[in-house]
Amino acid sequence: MLSSVPLNIYRQAESFNLLRGFLFRNVVAAMFLENNNNLLHTAAKLAPPSQLYRIPGAALQMQREWQWFKAVESMVNLGIERRHNKDKLTPLDYFKENHKELRNNGEKWMKDTATSCSVVGALIVTIMFAAAFTVPGGNDQTSGHPIFLKEKLFRVFLISDAMSLFASTSSVLTFVGILTSRYVEDDFLYSLPTKLIIGLSALFLSIATMLIAFSSAMIIM
C-alpha cells in the first residue's frame, strides 16, 4: 500500500489509476506520511524535472501539475483536503507554496506569447482594414463601384479579406483576455489554455485568409 507514495511523487499515472480501483483506496489516501503529510500533500509537491520537461511551456506544465493534484483530490474523502501538515499547511496551500515559481514562470510565458501574437494580430487588422477600401483595380469614376466587381476572384478577395479582418480581431481580443487574466491556479486548468488555443487558431486563420486575399488580388491585377 505504501507504494502509492512514490507513484504519486513520480507521477506514475497507470499505477495511480490502478490504486483508484482498490477497495481500501480511502485508507491509503488518509495515511499520514513524513512531516504529517497525507497523500494529497504528496500530490501537491512539484514533479521531478524529468516529468516537467516532457511538456513544452511553463503554463502547460502548470496545467499538468494542477490536473494531477485534482485527480488525487477526487479519490480522497471529504475533509482530507483541509488537514494540516507539520508546517500548518493544507494540501492546497502546500501546492501553492511548491508551485509558486512555476506559476510565475507560467504567467510570464503566457504574457510573452500573448503580447507577441497580439502585435501580429494588430498588424493584420490594420492591413486588411486598409485593403478593404483600396480594392485592386480601383473604383469606377462615375458609379463609384469597384471595376472588377463582377469578377469571381474579386469576390474571393472580398470574402477572404473580411474573414482575415474578423479572425485577426478575434485573436487580438482573446490575447487581451489572456493579458488581463488573474493567473490563479484554476486559470491554468481550462481558462488560459483554452484562450491560447482559440487565439492561435484565429491568428492562423487570419494569416491563411490574408494570403488568399493577396493571391487573388495579384491574379486580378
Side-chain angles (χ1 to χ4, degrees), residues 26-213:
N26 291 326
V27 177
V28 177
M31 292 179 64
F32 288 100
L33 309 171
E34 184 181 358
N35 294 326
N36 209 26
N37 290 332
N38 57 38
L39 188 64
L40 199 53
H41 281 101
T42 309
K45 293 182 178 180
L46 188 66
S50 59
Q51 297 285 334
L52 283 178
Y53 293 158
R54 295 178 183 178
I55 304 173
L60 299 181
Q61 293 173 0
M62 185 65 186
Q63 180 195 34
R64 185 68 185 91
E65 288 291 281
W66 191 239
Q67 286 174 339
W68 178 261
F69 181 78
K70 286 295 184 181
V72 177
E73 186 182 43
S74 65
M75 68 165 281
V76 301
N77 285 333
L78 293 176
I80 292 180
E81 72 275 5
R82 293 191 295 269
R83 293 184 181 178
H84 295 79
N85 62 3
K86 187 172 118 179
D87 298 324
K88 304 300 181 183
L89 295 174
T90 64
L92 181 58
D93 295 333
Y94 196 52
F95 180 91
K96 292 179 179 180
E97 183 70 23
N98 291 327
H99 293 79
K100 187 181 298 183
E101 183 178 356
L102 183 61
R103 192 202 67 81
N104 292 335
N105 292 337
E107 179 179 353
K108 183 178 182 301
W109 184 84
M110 270 286 184
K111 286 185 175 181
D112 290 344
T113 303
T115 301
S116 301
C117 293
S118 296
V119 172
V120 176
L123 288 174
I124 296 176
V125 170
T126 304
I127 293 171
M128 303 317 290
F129 185 83
F133 295 97
T134 55
V135 294
N139 299 324
D140 186 86
Q141 296 298 324
T142 56
S143 64
H145 296 154
I147 295 176
F148 296 113
L149 182 61
K150 296 181 180 179
E151 295 285 340
K152 290 183 178 180
L153 280 175
F154 185 79
R155 297 176 184 176
V156 173
F157 167 80
L158 288 181
I159 294 173
S160 57
D161 183 272
M163 289 183 62
S164 180
L165 179 61
F166 291 138
S168 57
T169 303
S170 300
S171 69
V172 170
L173 292 176
T174 304
F175 290 125
V176 169
I178 292 177
L179 291 173
T180 57
S181 178
R182 299 174 302 160
Y183 290 96
V184 296
E185 285 72 14
D186 276 335
D187 290 341
F188 287 95
L189 187 58
Y190 295 116
S191 176
L192 289 174
T194 301
K195 288 179 181 178
L196 182 64
I197 292 173
I198 293 174
L200 289 176
S201 300
L203 184 62
F204 290 149
L205 177 62
S206 67
I207 294 174
T209 49
M210 180 182 65
L211 293 176
I212 295 174

